[in-house]
């Protein structure tokens, strides 16, 4: 009975923690980077197209460069009617539960499991500006990694139990498949997965060597099931892409003629060395000389290169690694080769063939390349730098450096339509340099079409014209009974307008283009003139209201972050001790 009571209390505590986490983030706004056409804006656009039944949208140079899982994640959140913030937070909490479920067989103490669960759920990285408030894939990657590691630990600990192995294998497959199709650079997780699988198969053979193959066959299948799930999901995505775009690939950066072209470009040894620059200007010029097809886009590529060279640390107008392939794809698109996938692939195939011929004929010197087309060649001195970075990363991670929850204004510029799409897809509010004002009231002409009423800003720009008013039975009866005025009842308005913060707005009344009245809107108004009646029942500053609530949650989350920053190194040391006690022993 006592054991059952403890189990119930444990479950209740878990539920309370889950609810608490949801409640301390549910008022937060998102950060909409409407100008980030290759990142945040692309994710929103892809999700919007999926919801409309258009798959990822029209084919172009960026549509197949990012994984489809995060846009699908946004779609699921939208379909469930949840806000993006709440849905991602819930997903992270579920990932923490899966991790705890995976490690419970070698950490028997419920108190310790509860401590680990709380530490994971309230980890500041789960609600930081760049991993939660920003509408990008970084946030769900954290959860996917937790699912993968927790599932494989559980699979290892329950490797002889078919039922539990099946559960953990499916969860691992879900984690691997979703991560692989969230990030095009997710290949880094594969060595871990392959190593664990080899160990599991090796132990199966060693520990059960006296059993016939039939008895071990199910377990063997379960051990490789995550790879089967990954292969199946990849095949489905590639098939859908083929049906829409005519190219059988899950991602053009990983599998296309562009992939081959980039590998060959990386294999050409530069004559000048710059930090994090694999394509110095002199190398680009030599590629033009050896590839007539590439030379066709010389102007477009140089123009794009000049723009991308300003990103990161610009050294002698050089494009840093990570930006060159965007410059290349943009240049190819500007030349008109992205009308369809066949034209684009043919272009890259020709460039690859011509550069390969240059290498073969010794016109271009060759150098070793990395397995992935997204990775620049290994350079001398990188190993020493790698060791240094490991030390820096331990400090960076344990101190939670640059991890904060800061409510910032979304970067919109002239992308107002995109910012509205962010709000529509996520069901979340955004902070902007403008304020959204809601005005509720009614208006009627006493003489048909006698005057024209508008809402204008201080510069005279029209924000709203009174037309298509709503039916208000209460006002119709009021006008009829009190003023003896017959109307059709279409007098009401409930409007929302965006104006810069602290700017004034005005009602203007015109007759025959002549200004009769101009009055600043500061609150409730009852204005009765010879020609019209105008009433403002209520006026709300919507951004001010939700921002006030959001700031309260921001303070709570920053306090939690401070605790982690002050105790990070201690928890890290405790983690090593726990690992030694429960694993290495």
């Amino acid at each position: 009975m006592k054991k059952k009571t403890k189990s119930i209390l444990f479950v209740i505590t878990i539920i309370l923690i889950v609810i608490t986490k949801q409640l301390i983030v549910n008022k937060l706004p998102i950060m909409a980077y409407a100008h980030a056409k290759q990142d945040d804006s692309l994710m929103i656009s892809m999700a919007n197209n999926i919801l409309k039944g258009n798959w990822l949208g029209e084919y172009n140079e960026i549509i197949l460069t990012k994984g489809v899982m995060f846009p699908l994640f946004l779609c699921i959140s939208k379909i469930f009617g949840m806000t993006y913030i709440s849905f991602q937070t819930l997903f992270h909490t579920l990932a923490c539960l899966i991790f705890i479920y995976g490690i419970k067989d070698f950490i028997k103490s419920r108190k310790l499991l509860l401590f680990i669960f709380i530490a994971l759920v309230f980890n500041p990285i789960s609600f930081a500006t760049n991993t939660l408030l920003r509408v990008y894939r970084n946030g769900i990657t954290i959860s996917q990694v937790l699912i993968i590691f927790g599932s494989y630990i559980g699979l290892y600990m329950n490797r002889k139990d078919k039922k539990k192995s099946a559960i953990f294998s499916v969860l691992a497959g879900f984690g691997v498949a979703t991560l692989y199709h969230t990030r095009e650079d997710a290949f880094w997780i594969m060595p871990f997965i392959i190593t664990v699988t080899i160990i599991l198969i090796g132990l199966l053979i060693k520990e059960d060597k006296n059993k016939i193959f039939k008895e071990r066959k199910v377990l063997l299948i379960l051990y490789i099931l995550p790879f089967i799930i990954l292969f199946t999901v990849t095949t489905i995505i590639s098939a859908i892409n083929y049906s829409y775009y005519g190219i059988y690939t899950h991602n053009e950066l990983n599998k296309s003629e562009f992939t081959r072209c980039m590998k060959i470009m990386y294999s050409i040894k530069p004559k000048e060395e710059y930090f994090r620059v694999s394509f110095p200007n002199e190398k680009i010029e030599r590629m033009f000389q050896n590839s007539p097809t590439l030379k066709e886009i010389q102007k477009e590529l140089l123009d794009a290169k000049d723009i991308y060279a300003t990103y990161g640390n610009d050294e002698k107008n050089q494009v840093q690694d990570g930006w060159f392939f965007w410059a290349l794809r943009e240049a190819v698109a500007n030349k008109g080769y992205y009308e369809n996938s066949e034209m684009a692939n043919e272009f890259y195939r020709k460039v690859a063939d011509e550069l390969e011929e240059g290498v073969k004929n010794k016109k271009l010197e060759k150098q070793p390349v990395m397995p992935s087309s997204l990775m620049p060649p290994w350079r001398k001195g990188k190993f020493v730098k790698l060791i240094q970075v490991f030390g820096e990363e331990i400090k960076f991670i344990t101190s939670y450096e640059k991890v904060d929850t800061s409510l910032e204004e979304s970067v919109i510029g002239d992308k107002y339509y995109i910012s509205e799409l962010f709000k529509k897809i996520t069901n979340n509010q955004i902070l902007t340099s403008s304020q959204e004002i809601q005005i509720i009231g009614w208006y009627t002409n006493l003489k048909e079409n006698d005057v024209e009423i508008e809402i204008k800003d201080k510069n005279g720009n029209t924000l709203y014209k009174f037309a298509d008013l709503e039916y208000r039975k209460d006002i119709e009866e009021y006008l009829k009974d009190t003023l003896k005025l017959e109307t059709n009842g279409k007098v009401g308005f409930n409007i929302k307008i965006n104006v810069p913060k602290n700017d004034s707005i005005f009602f203007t009344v015109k007759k025959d283009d002549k200004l009769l009245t101009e009055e600043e809107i500061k609150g409730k108004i009852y204005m009765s003139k010879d020609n019209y009646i105008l009433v403002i029942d209520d006026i709300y500053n919507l951004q001010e209201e939700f921002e006030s609530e959001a700031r309260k949650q921001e303070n709570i989350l920053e306090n939690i972050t401070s605790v982690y920053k002050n105790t990070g190194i201690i928890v890290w040391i405790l983690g090593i001790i726990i690992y030694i006690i429960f694993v290495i022993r």
Side-chain angles (χ1 to χ4, degrees), residues 414-447:
D414 60 351
K415 308 289 185 181
Y416 178 74
Y417 166 73
I418 300 295
S419 71
E420 288 300 299
L421 199 56
F422 269 86
K423 294 199 297 187
K424 175 186 171 185
I425 297 297
T426 64
N427 293 326
N428 278 110
Q429 294 284 353
I430 62 174
L431 292 179
T432 66
S433 57
S434 64
Q435 55 189 341
E436 188 174 40
I437 305 294
Q438 183 178 18
I439 305 172
I440 302 172
W442 58 274
Y443 152 79
T444 185
N445 278 328
L446 298 180
K447 296 179 182 178

Side-chain angles (χ1 to χ4, degrees), residues 462-492:
T462 300
L463 302 174
Y464 184 80
K465 286 186 177 183
F466 283 83
D468 299 324
L469 298 172
E470 300 172 356
Y471 177 73
R472 290 273 300 268
K473 185 177 181 180
D474 58 330
I475 304 301
E476 182 183 28
E477 291 175 352
Y478 165 76
L479 292 172
K480 184 178 180 180
D481 297 341
T482 307
L483 302 180
K484 309 302 179 187
L485 180 66
E486 295 287 343
T487 72
N488 61 6
K490 290 187 176 181
V491 297

